[in-house]
């Protein structure tokens, strides 16, 4: 994940507690709304002051139409530090007028990604706010949109697949120029005459285990307590599985587990593991 040109520090749970360090971002509506902006001179973003080891993260996001017509890249993601980092990504890819908008997801573990799935959305993300959620617990990672799961990445360490479970991550969001690859593999470049490009955020919520001084606020990460709620051991029920299957059947446009040309020596282990 590329870093944004400018960064904000985000104090969890209270938008009013953002520390502003870039003019390309604004806090509005008495601290209830944060707007990131991208122009030719700078991008913008924010990150959480806390690190988390597992959590259920919700954020409402609305994008300007110009932002998705450009190869700018609005993001919401979790990321650890270091050369063998873990990362869980939501990204909007730039698009062309009249084409459906594309939501890009990826999971990195121990510095290795290449686990992309992409989806068209069944609504216009520029018309209103929508909720984008990441559930991350020791058993699985679930990506959801407006409460509908679109992707599940299970812990399959028993098959030799690394899973993000030991590196604490911060919550990030950024708006940056990605015209080298984001729209039609880089063939469409940014029209800076349409700038600034903007993304607006509100209603952040995190039920999460804060990691500090080598320990978790949840105690043992594999032993959920009643005070943690059920997210730390949550799995998809039959209704949620049905909704996810509906999304994947009707709106998934790329799945690395189906890309045999990309993996001529065989698909990744997790693609066939039960």
């Amino acid at each position: 994940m590329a870093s944004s040109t400018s960064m904000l520090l985000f104090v969890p749970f209270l938008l009013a507690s953002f520390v502003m360090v870039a003019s390309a971002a604004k806090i509005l509506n008495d601290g209830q709304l944060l707007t990131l902006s991208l122009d030719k001179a700078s991008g913008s973003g924010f990150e959480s002051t806390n690190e988390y080891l597992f959590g259920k993260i919700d954020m409402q996001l609305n994008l300007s139409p110009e932002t998705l017509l450009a190869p700018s890249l609005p993001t919401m993601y979790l990321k650890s530090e270091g050369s063998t980092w873990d990362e869980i990504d939501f990204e909007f890819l730039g698009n062309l007028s009249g084409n459906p908008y594309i939501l890009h997801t990826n999971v990195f573990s121990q510095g290795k990604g290449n686990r992309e799935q992409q989806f068209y959305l069944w609504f216009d993300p520029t018309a209103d706010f929508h909720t984008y959620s990441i559930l991350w617990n020791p058993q699985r990672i679930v990506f959801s949109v407006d409460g509908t799961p679109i992707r599940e990445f299970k812990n399959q360490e028993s098959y030799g697949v690394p899973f993000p479970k030991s590196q604490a991550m911060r919550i990030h969001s950024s708006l940056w120029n990605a015209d080298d690859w984001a729209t039609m593999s880089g063939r469409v470049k940014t029209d800076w005459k349409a700038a600034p490009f903007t993304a607006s955020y509100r209603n952040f919520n995190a039920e999460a285990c804060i990691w500090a001084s080598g320990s978790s606020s949840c105690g043992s990460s594999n032993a959920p307590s009643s005070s943690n709620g059920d997210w730390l051991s949550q799995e998809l029920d039959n209704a949620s599985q049905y909704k996810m299957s509906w999304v994947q059947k009707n709106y998934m446009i790329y799945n690395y587990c189906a890309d045999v040309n990309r993996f001529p020596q065989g698909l990744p282990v997790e693609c066939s593991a039960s």
Side-chain angles (χ1 to χ4, degrees):
M1 174 66 59
S3 299
S4 60
T5 306
S6 306
M7 294 300 295
L8 303 176
L9 293 181
F10 174 69
V11 179
F13 312 115
L14 294 174
L15 284 177
S17 298
F18 276 97
V19 178
M20 299 288 293
V21 295
S23 60
K26 297 179 181 179
I27 296 176
L28 306 168
N29 296 352
D30 296 324
Q32 300 304 306
L33 179 68
L34 172 65
T35 299
L36 301 183
S37 181
L38 169 70
D39 58 27
K40 198 170 185 178
S42 67
S44 55
F46 60 82
E47 66 178 13
S48 61
T49 56
N50 284 329
E51 292 182 293
Y52 302 99
L53 190 60
F54 307 122
K56 186 176 182 181
I57 312 300
D58 302 312
M59 187 88 75
Q60 287 195 325
L61 174 61
N62 186 28
L63 307 170
S64 69
E66 295 80 11
T67 300
L68 290 183
L69 293 179
S72 57
L73 200 64
T75 65
M76 184 184 88
Y77 61 101
L78 295 159
K79 186 177 184 295
S80 65
E81 302 297 326
S83 59
T84 56
W85 74 99
D86 294 337
E87 185 173 337
I88 305 169
D89 292 341
F90 262 129
E91 299 175 331
F92 283 90
L93 302 188
N95 217 327
L96 294 176
S97 180
N99 290 343
Y101 298 112
I102 298 174
L103 185 63
H104 176 96
T105 66
N106 202 356
V107 176
F108 288 74
S109 52
Q110 300 179 16
K112 179 182 181 297
N114 299 326
R115 299 185 176 103
E116 303 92 342
Q117 289 185 358
Q118 296 177 352
F119 304 84
Y120 286 145
L121 291 172
W122 52 96
F123 55 83
D124 180 354
T126 71
D128 202 351
F129 282 91
H130 292 270
T131 302
Y132 302 89
S133 306
I134 296 171
L135 168 67
W136 169 40
N137 65 32
Q139 297 82 37
R140 60 189 39 81
I141 296 164
V142 179
F143 298 81
S144 299
V145 179
D146 289 338
T148 296
I150 64 172
R151 176 181 184 181
E152 180 180 30
F153 184 83
K154 293 182 178 180
N155 183 338
Q156 297 188 102
E157 290 179 302
S158 60
Y159 294 92
V161 181
F163 184 83
K165 71 170 191 178
S166 59
Q167 300 189 75
M169 296 194 261
R170 281 189 166 87
I171 303 164
H172 298 258
S173 190
S174 61
L175 185 58
W176 55 284
N177 180 31
D179 67 4
D180 58 336
W181 69 275
T183 301
M184 296 184 68
S185 301
R187 296 192 298 275
V188 176
K189 300 301 181 181
T190 301
D191 179 5
W192 292 110
K193 295 189 296 294
F197 309 111
T198 62
S200 298
Y201 300 79
R202 72 181 187 188
N203 292 345
F204 169 78
N205 184 64
E207 298 177 63
C209 300
I210 297 174
W211 185 260
S213 302
S215 62
S216 169
S217 62
C218 297
S220 171
S221 62
N222 293 307
S225 69
S226 58
S227 62
N228 295 330
D230 62 358
W231 65 266
L232 199 50
S233 58
Q234 183 176 340
E235 58 186 76
L236 297 179
D237 59 19
N238 289 338
S240 296
Q241 290 278 4
Y242 178 83
K243 290 179 181 179
M244 185 173 68
S245 296
W246 173 81
V247 171
Q248 294 185 352
K249 178 181 178 181
N250 292 284
Y251 295 98
M252 180 184 284
I253 60 170
Y254 179 80
N255 180 6
Y256 77 107
C257 279
D259 194 344
V260 294
N261 293 324
R262 182 181 179 185
F263 302 102
Q265 302 305 315
L267 293 171
V269 174
E270 67 267 22
C271 296
S272 57
S274 59

